[in-house]
Amino acid sequence: MNKTLGFWFEKILSYGMGILTFYICNNYWQKLIFLKDTDFLDKIISITSTLFGFLLAVLTLLLQSSSVTIEKMKKHGSFLKLIYLNKLIVLTSIINCILSFFLFFSLKLICEKSEKILKILTSLNFSLLSFVLINTLLFTILFYQIIISDEKKTSS
């Protein structure tokens, strides 16, 4: 199968940004005070748990619905990619939520025991958030591309 530049860009974008975010957070950790702020962690918990629930419901609807629109979407060549992205976001968002929850309640204890571990965990937490958000953006773009292409086929 012939892979385009766009395919590879899309494929490595979220992973690359996750790694880059981890590197930046790890190297500039002292300046990025918000990483260890409980209000910020609370926001991550809210965002990722909402994404988890919403996208899990969307996944269920996409897989189980037999409506005409869903059937047309299933015939689209990118439908499996849409399902894969959805599953990836659902799993990553719940992992991010659990890590944020853990950090929220054990921040002071971890800081007292080892600042290095806190640095790694908070950097990882923020890089997971960037990974989730970029993949959510890609999912949304793909979702709309499938719907628009289906609408164009229907109106032709």
Side-chain angles (χ1 to χ4, degrees):
M1 185 167 159
N2 192 8
K3 308 287 187 201
T4 64
L5 183 61
F7 169 84
W8 289 110
F9 176 74
E10 189 177 293
K11 188 85 171 162
I12 64 171
L13 177 66
S14 59
Y15 293 100
M17 287 304 292
I19 292 168
L20 179 65
T21 305
F22 181 83
Y23 175 79
I24 290 170
C25 290
N26 202 36
N27 286 335
Y28 299 101
W29 190 72
Q30 294 297 332
K31 295 179 183 179
L32 301 174
I33 298 167
F34 68 91
L35 292 175
K36 49 191 171 201
D37 180 44
T38 54
D39 288 335
F40 180 68
L41 291 170
D42 186 46
K43 299 292 186 251
I44 293 177
I45 293 167
S46 296
I47 291 167
T48 55
S49 62
T50 302
L51 272 174
F52 171 76
F54 178 72
L55 290 175
L56 193 59
V58 168
L59 180 62
T60 302
L61 289 172
L62 288 173
L63 293 175
Q64 293 184 350
S65 179
S66 59
S67 72
V68 175
T69 305
I70 298 296
E71 290 303 319
K72 288 179 182 177
M73 286 177 71
K74 287 180 179 178
K75 291 177 184 172
H76 191 276
S78 298
F79 185 75
L80 290 177
K81 188 166 122 180
L82 182 74
I83 298 299
Y84 168 78
L85 260 176
N86 184 293
K87 286 180 182 178
L88 181 66
I89 299 165
V90 165
L91 292 173
T92 312
S93 64
I94 196 63
I95 291 168
N96 196 196
C97 183
I98 291 168
L99 179 57
S100 296
F101 192 75
F102 172 74
L103 286 170
F104 184 84
F105 287 106
S106 60
L107 200 61
K108 289 180 183 173
L109 179 65
I110 296 171
C111 191
E112 290 172 5
K113 295 292 180 186
S114 173
E115 194 169 291
K116 186 175 184 175
I117 291 174
L118 182 64
K119 180 180 178 181
I120 291 169
L121 288 177
T122 55
S123 297
L124 176 64
N125 193 44
F126 191 67
S127 65
L128 278 173
L129 179 65
S130 68
F131 181 84
V132 166
L133 293 177
I134 289 170
N135 277 319
T136 302
L137 177 66
L138 292 173
F139 174 82
T140 305
I141 291 169
L142 181 60
F143 187 81
Y144 280 111
Q145 282 178 344
I146 291 172
I147 300 246
I148 289 171
S149 90
D150 183 52
E151 288 299 318
K152 286 180 183 177
K153 289 177 187 175
T154 305
S155 64
S156 298

